[in-house]
Amino acid sequence: MSNRYVVKKIVGALLTLFAVVIFNFFLFRIVDRDPLTKYRGRSKLSLEQRETMIRRMGLSGSKWDQFVAYIKSTLQLDFGRSFDSTRPVLREITDRLPATLILVGVSTVLTICIGLYIGAKAGWARGSRFDRVSTSTTMVLYATPEFFFGMLLLAIVAGRTGWFPTGGLRDVGTNNGFVASLLDRTHHLVLPSLTLTLGYLGSYSLIMRTSMLDTLGEDYLTTARAKGLKESDVMTHHAVPNALLPSVSAIAISFGFVIGGAITTETVFSYPGLGLATADAIRNTDLPMLQALFLVASAAVIFFNLVADLTYGLLDPRIRHSI
Amino acid sequence: MSAVLEVRDLHITYASSSGLVPAVRGVDLEIAPGETLGLAGESGCGKSTLAMALLRLVPPSTQITGSIKLAGQDILTMKPGQLRAARWAQASVVFQGAQHVLNPVRRIGRQIDEAIEAHGSASVSRAGELLDLVGLGARRGDDYPHELSGGQKQRSLIAMALACDPLLLIADEPTTALDVMVQAQILQLLDNIKRERGLSMLFITHDLSVLSHTADRVAVMYAGRIIEVGAGDALLRNSLHPYSKALTASFPIIGDPSSRHQPRGLAGDPPDPNNLPSGCPFHPRCTVAIDECQSVDVQLRHAADDEERSVACVLVGKS
């Protein structure tokens, strides 16, 4: 893989991100003519205060002036203040980002590992008992919205048995010591990450199963068998590496939905991450927050597509050498 | 000395959605140590099925009856572990490089070494040594298949086939997709290696002309059966079965100018294995067929004037 390819992909990703920034500018001006309608306590504002606020939010002057001001402040990561909390949007986001990163990170790793494993095994043994059971199960998982799992888990495992907390990031007042705090946070993380994992396991495993089936008839598997390799080695060294290639890009695309899944999952479990912040911002029409959250979500999808492009190059020598 | 490969009454039947398809219908053959048997025939005559069956590389749903003895052991009755141990160590396959027989995302050297590792022998890589032997150079072991040309791929497949020092090489159309110059080099290479190592070889091809210099004996297959077998040169110069005659006439013999003036093709298509003609399966395409051919299916029998020759035709050995 040449440096030029990497640079090209990164530049492409940055350009896409910039397009999102521009799109955001127009989107949020279409949403509401008077952004202050939802501003908390707007009735108490005098006309003068109103105008000061509008100026401070970069909403005065011509559309072009507004656009320039918007780009400038966005580049400085200045997204204004939240209508709801009146704190800077950037602070709100950085405060909540780690919780979501952990939740989405844990679930994505679990989904990829378990999903690819199930899909590879099912495709390899097509028509076997494992294939039939796992494929019908993953179909059901695939078709069920993740918040439904969340509500089931909440009602059964958290509500009835009390084995797991029903929501939140940690228990208040148990912050004694690093280990205890870590255990407490993990305890809170189990159900939300399980929900998100169950919600997306199906699509990952079905993708992998399909691409495994596509490789089953390949001649190099016959070559590997002819050499006296064990079936398990034929699968792990020959079938899986080839079946992974189409899966990588399909998974990167589906990652965009995981971000959406985080919104409903965090809402079900009152898990204070960016997903819950998005739901709250929509409820309260907190435009500055929404604008920044849209940008973060888009940036995440763009980032993972970039990772997929680069990973694909690493996995497939034919691509690596031609680019 | 006992035969390296001894096949008796081999029948191979594929299970397809349209029913059972007989691909090989009663084949006997043996290969002596150091001997090369050329197996020729049109596409679909069952020669590749036969080759794959020798290491039981046909789909699991395929029915195989008869016996395939490799160095005295019957491949068909082996347990999976024994079969894995026999594969590549007793007999290996020189696949056709034009197809995707090499894993595109694994280095050539790894694909050679994994055969050795599967048989638990070497802890050091032998790939470099083998690639040197086939004239490719040890450094190509770090390459991926797409970085090699057609001829280089074929060389690496020969190196791979030698990895476990087999007794028998099964060369399945190893020169088919190559241009004539490269084809000659590969044939030369196979011949040298075979001689140096005293290997036996089953050389499968649809092109009889490549057998003239490599094969000690030649067998011609039609519709899942061997219809003529004999010493290589004698059979190529003077074939007795009308089908072999048509095959040998379709290419000029090098060094025999007269053969160049009368190249002929063979009309018609190979028979559908699902719906074989009655009697001799070749009779609908045969130019010398008589009424008897529609009802009598002659088995392979010795030709009167040639001790080594056997032919399956009513017109041969009858007079």
Side-chain angles (χ1 to χ4, degrees):
Chain A
M1 194 161 25
S2 63
N3 286 336
R4 230 183 104 226
Y5 173 78
V6 178
V7 170
K8 209 172 100 186
K9 284 291 169 195
I10 292 175
V11 170
L14 289 175
L15 283 177
T16 316
L17 190 61
F18 192 66
V20 171
V21 169
I22 294 170
F23 177 75
N24 252 355
F25 173 81
F26 292 105
L27 179 68
F28 283 88
R29 272 154 186 80
I30 295 167
V31 168
D32 213 329
R33 281 178 165 274
D34 180 5
L36 283 188
T37 45
K38 297 295 190 308
Y39 187 69
R40 192 180 276 179
R42 65 189 182 281
S43 52
K44 291 179 198 142
L45 292 175
S46 70
L47 210 60
E48 245 171 77
Q49 283 172 312
R50 246 182 108 86
E51 296 207 328
T52 324
M53 282 218 59
I54 286 178
R55 206 167 41 244
R56 231 197 310 161
M57 288 162 65
L59 294 171
S60 58
S62 70
K63 279 278 177 299
W64 176 250
D65 289 341
Q66 290 183 28
F67 182 70
V68 173
Y70 163 78
I71 297 289
K72 262 190 195 164
S73 54
T74 303
L75 286 178
Q76 292 164 1
L77 298 179
D78 173 10
F79 303 105
R81 283 169 181 272
S82 159
F83 285 178
D84 198 33
S85 69
T86 69
R87 294 171 68 217
V89 168
L90 187 63
R91 280 292 303 278
E92 289 283 345
I93 287 182
T94 49
D95 280 357
R96 288 151 179 262
L97 185 63
T100 294
L101 277 184
I102 290 172
L103 172 62
V104 173
V106 167
S107 324
T108 306
V109 170
L110 282 177
T111 314
I112 289 179
C113 294
I114 303 173
L116 293 189
Y117 176 79
I118 293 179
K121 214 178 154 193
W124 183 250
R126 174 172 39 177
S128 69
R129 198 187 156 84
F130 180 87
D131 181 31
R132 276 174 301 159
V133 171
S134 74
T135 305
S136 46
T137 311
T138 48
M139 283 279 189
V140 172
L141 293 181
Y142 178 60
T144 315
E146 66 289 329
F147 58 83
F148 183 69
F149 293 125
M151 288 155 80
L152 278 183
L153 288 173
L154 202 56
I156 299 164
V157 190
R160 186 150 306 177
T161 66
W163 290 341
F164 289 98
T166 53
L169 190 61
R170 57 187 169 87
D171 283 341
V172 184
T174 55
N175 205 357
N176 38 7
F178 177 75
V179 178
S181 160
L182 189 72
L183 281 175
D184 179 45
R185 279 166 188 266
T186 312
H187 197 204
H188 282 78
L189 188 64
V190 171
L191 290 188
S193 55
L194 187 61
T195 302
L196 211 49
T197 305
L198 285 175
Y200 292 90
L201 191 64
S203 63
Y204 286 22
S205 121
L206 290 172
I207 290 169
M208 185 62 184
R209 179 177 179 271
T210 309
S211 56
M212 201 67 179
L213 288 180
D214 287 340
T215 61
L216 281 187
E218 294 287 352
D219 290 330
Y220 48 76
L221 299 185
T222 306
T223 312
R225 287 196 184 97
K227 288 190 282 194
L229 265 63
K230 289 198 196 89
E231 279 297 296
S232 57
D233 287 336
V234 177
M235 174 175 151
T236 51
H237 295 317
H238 293 274
V240 169
N242 281 284
L244 274 179
L245 302 176
S247 303
V248 167
S249 33
I251 284 170
I253 291 165
S254 78
F255 187 78
F257 298 102
V258 182
I259 306 234
I263 296 178
T264 51
T265 305
E266 289 187 8
T267 307
V268 170
F269 289 98
S270 324
Y271 186 87
L274 293 181
L276 185 59
T278 309
D280 286 345
I282 292 171
R283 215 171 7 241
N284 304 325
T285 327
D286 190 344
L287 295 181
M289 268 302 272
L290 267 183
Q291 200 168 15
L293 286 165
F294 269 41
L295 194 61
V296 171
S298 313
V301 173
I302 292 168
F303 175 74
F304 276 92
N305 274 287
L306 177 68
V307 170
D309 277 337
L310 300 179
T311 316
Y312 205 97
L314 286 179
L315 288 176
D316 191 341
R318 287 164 295 185
I319 306 269
R320 195 189 312 155
H321 292 128
S322 63
I323 51 185
Chain B
M1 228 170 158
S2 64
V4 171
L5 174 72
E6 193 181 333
V7 175
R8 288 288 164 251
D9 196 30
L10 185 67
H11 288 259
I12 304 172
T13 309
Y14 284 118
S16 83
S17 49
S18 58
L20 298 175
V21 182
V24 173
R25 307 181 302 130
V27 162
D28 294 278
L29 53 84
E30 63 275 305
I31 301 180
E35 185 187 40
T36 296
L37 175 70
L39 186 63
E42 286 168 299
S43 319
C45 72
K47 57 189 194 301
S48 283
T49 301
L50 174 61
M52 289 299 105
L54 296 182
L55 290 178
R56 253 164 77 185
L57 292 169
V58 290
S61 60
T62 314
Q63 300 169 15
I64 315 180
T65 60
S67 72
I68 299 172
K69 281 189 178 158
L70 255 179
Q73 287 179 294
D74 193 345
I75 287 282
L76 297 181
T77 58
M78 282 183 181
K79 294 194 177 73
Q82 292 174 298
L83 178 64
R84 277 202 305 273
R87 284 173 172 175
W88 228 249
Q90 303 286 350
S92 64
V93 186
V94 180
F95 288 100
Q96 188 185 322
Q99 282 152 3
H100 295 285
V101 294
L102 289 165
N103 182 344
V105 302
R106 208 162 162 79
R107 292 178 201 278
I108 299 287
R110 282 298 309 140
Q111 298 194 49
I112 294 174
D113 280 333
E114 72 182 347
I116 302 166
E117 284 158 20
H119 293 84
S121 39
S123 51
V124 246
S125 166
R126 279 192 63 210
E129 177 196 324
L130 289 162
L131 288 169
D132 264 336
L133 183 81
V134 297
L136 208 52
R139 283 171 59 198
R140 300 316 290 262
D142 291 334
D143 284 355
Y144 289 96
H146 73 276
E147 294 174 274
L148 304 182
S149 70
Q152 290 171 329
K153 265 188 225 168
Q154 200 59 63
R155 282 174 193 272
S156 67
L157 284 166
I158 294 171
M160 189 186 281
L162 297 172
C164 299
D165 291 315
L167 304 169
L168 172 71
L169 286 184
I170 302 165
D172 189 8
E173 307 247 10
T175 60
T176 297
L178 305 173
D179 63 64
V180 185
M181 293 301 291
V182 182
Q183 186 172 326
Q185 292 168 6
I186 296 292
L187 287 174
Q188 191 61 52
L189 175 68
L190 274 173
D191 207 45
N192 291 346
I193 285 172
K194 202 207 97 179
R195 272 172 218 290
E196 279 164 23
R197 306 191 155 217
L199 297 178
S200 305
M201 184 152 74
L202 177 65
F203 195 107
I204 293 162
T205 181
H206 67 273
D207 179 4
L208 276 176
S209 65
V210 303
L211 293 180
S212 55
H213 294 287
T214 42
D216 301 312
R217 284 191 307 133
V218 170
V220 181
M221 242 181 128
Y222 191 81
R225 269 193 203 162
I226 291 174
I227 50 103
E228 181 164 2
V229 60
D233 265 2
L235 190 145
L236 293 176
R237 283 177 191 282
N238 175 31
S239 40
L240 298 176
H241 192 286
Y243 176 65
S244 334
K245 278 185 181 161
L247 271 193
T248 47
S250 63
F251 73 92
I253 295 171
I254 296 160
D256 181 5
S258 67
S259 71
R260 238 182 294 165
H261 298 296
Q262 49 210 266
R264 285 167 293 166
L266 175 61
D269 292 318
D272 174 8
N274 265 329
N275 191 17
L276 288 172
S278 63
C280 168
F282 184 59
H283 85 262
R285 299 168 80 188
C286 185
T287 52
V288 295
I290 56 175
D291 287 349
E292 213 184 326
C293 300
Q294 292 180 28
S295 52
V296 180
D297 191 9
V298 181
Q299 299 296 310
L300 209 57
R301 59 190 181 192
H302 278 294
D305 49 350
D306 183 347
E307 256 316 288
E308 287 181 84
R309 191 82 64 98
S310 295
V311 187
C313 179
V314 278
L315 297 173
V316 178
K318 198 186 168 197
S319 55

